[in-house]
Amino acid sequence: MIQAINLALTEMMGEDDSVLVMGEDVGVNGGVFRATEGLHARFGEARVLDTPVAESAIVGTGIGMAMAGLRPVCEIQFCGFSYLTMAQLEGHASRVRNRSQGKLTVPMVVRVPYGGGVRALEHHSESREASFAHFPGLKVVIPSTPRNARALLRSAIADPDTVLFMEPKHSYRAWREEVPEAPEQLPIGKAELVREGTDITLIAWGAMRRPAEQAAALLGEQRGATVELIDLLTIAPLDVETIAASVQKTGRCVVVQEAPRSFGVSSELVTVINDRALMYLEAPVARVTGFDVVTPGFSREKAYLPTAGRIADALAATLDF
């Protein structure tokens, strides 16, 4: 995935001179995860800017640049440091269009590696998509594979408003996928139907897509049940239509999120299903999540993160209800 993100940045900077990259160590060093490797040598220091360690200043400067006609792509090294950007995102980026009655917009992307699974330290493994999705006007996108990461990042950079692009860093180098030669873009706000099924709907996003796929396959082998798997890809705005149509068809649903259980995206999904598909349900909607604790360090990380086994158990229990 990290190479696909680098490819999208290279393509968009080559196609549009107004696109620039900024953040801590994104220049000569190529970024903490090497997402910007080679960009400084190719496009120069005027378009690949190393910044001080000041996350709020990075995003605040990006807002000014975007309102002046540029398309900045800001990198925040880890999700745990993205809280320092909240005032800029909520107070300015997400509401300039509304505040100016559409006369001004902020076409900016803020890239944030997030999530666990890489044995990182405290403040380096959080999954806080729900916090940002609560900001009206802010789009929150989460890719799950190399191919959709490249396509969605191209769409995010081309978007007329601010997009928070949250990258599951566990997927950066965990596995490979072919990416087409021709550039692709995917629509923001549209979920992907990963596999069709008739017995139960399974909803996941980001790094949780892989264990969800494994659990769906396991359930098919053990019980012959067919699972309809949906990858949200965009958290805000949410693709309510795809979710409702699937649950209306299957009558059962399990939601998987890496974040803590309470007040998260999975809670919003349960509400959406109640609003749109309550009379079709044959079992309560189940959730497989992290726990309501501070995201642990690497020694307890495996016990915290949802696994294919936990997801398969929830699918089986929902089918047996």
Side-chain angles (χ1 to χ4, degrees), residues 110-128:
V110 180
R111 294 182 40 248
V112 180
Y114 85 98
V118 297
R119 300 171 64 83
L121 304 174
E122 187 182 16
H123 292 307
H124 291 68
S125 301
E126 283 81 359
S127 181
R128 297 289 192 243

Side-chain angles (χ1 to χ4, degrees), residues 5-240:
I5 290 169
N6 180 271
L7 176 61
L9 292 171
T10 303
E11 288 174 344
M12 294 302 285
M13 293 183 75
E15 295 170 16
D16 185 348
D17 290 341
S18 69
V19 179
L20 60 92
V21 171
M22 58 190 298
E24 299 157 11
D25 299 322
V26 301
V28 175
N29 287 340
V32 65
F33 291 105
R34 302 296 180 262
T36 57
E37 193 166 38
L39 298 183
H40 185 270
R42 180 165 182 171
F43 297 103
E45 59 184 9
R47 295 181 64 195
V48 184
L49 288 74
D50 276 322
T51 68
V53 182
E55 286 78 8
S56 180
I58 294 169
V59 174
T61 303
I63 292 170
M65 288 178 167
M67 292 173 66
L70 299 175
R71 288 185 177 270
V73 181
C74 304
E75 178 179 300
I76 305 299
Q77 290 192 339
F78 293 91
C79 185
F81 308 123
S82 63
Y83 315 139
L84 301 168
T85 72
M86 281 183 161
Q88 296 289 357
L89 291 171
E90 199 281 337
H92 301 294
S94 66
R95 63 176 67 205
V96 164
R97 176 184 285 278
N98 182 273
R99 180 182 292 153
S100 67
Q101 299 181 340
K103 296 175 183 174
L104 296 172
T105 63
V106 182
M108 175 179 67
V109 175
V110 180
R111 294 182 40 248
V112 180
Y114 85 98
V118 297
R119 300 171 64 83
L121 304 174
E122 187 182 16
H123 292 307
H124 291 68
S125 301
E126 283 81 359
S127 181
R128 297 289 192 243
E129 59 271 31
S131 302
F132 292 100
H134 196 65
F135 296 169
L138 182 65
K139 297 171 183 173
V140 180
V141 173
I142 299 183
S144 56
T145 72
R147 185 171 181 174
N148 65 38
R150 182 242 202 148
L152 285 168
L153 183 53
R154 287 182 56 89
S155 298
I157 295 172
D159 197 273
D161 295 299
T162 301
V163 177
L164 184 69
F165 198 80
M166 301 185 70
E167 300 164 5
K169 59 180 180 289
H170 186 240
S171 302
Y172 272 163
R173 294 180 172 86
W175 49 286
R176 295 176 179 273
E177 182 187 46
E178 292 296 324
V179 173
E181 290 289 334
E184 296 180 306
Q185 289 187 206
L186 285 172
I188 291 175
K190 181 65 178 174
E192 179 186 355
L193 183 60
V194 179
R195 57 183 290 174
E196 294 190 45
T198 58
D199 296 313
I200 189 167
T201 299
L202 180 59
I203 303 174
W205 56 95
M208 292 296 99
R209 171 166 166 168
R210 292 206 77 196
E213 288 182 299
Q214 294 164 356
L218 185 62
L219 198 73
E221 294 171 5
Q222 294 178 342
R223 304 182 51 147
T226 60
V227 178
E228 182 145 296
L229 176 58
I230 295 173
D231 182 346
L232 292 183
L233 295 183
T234 302
I235 304 299
L238 197 59
D239 185 357
V240 174

Side-chain angles (χ1 to χ4, degrees), residues 274-286:
N274 282 341
D275 288 345
R276 300 291 295 268
L278 178 64
M279 302 308 293
Y280 297 86
L281 288 177
E282 298 183 36
V285 179

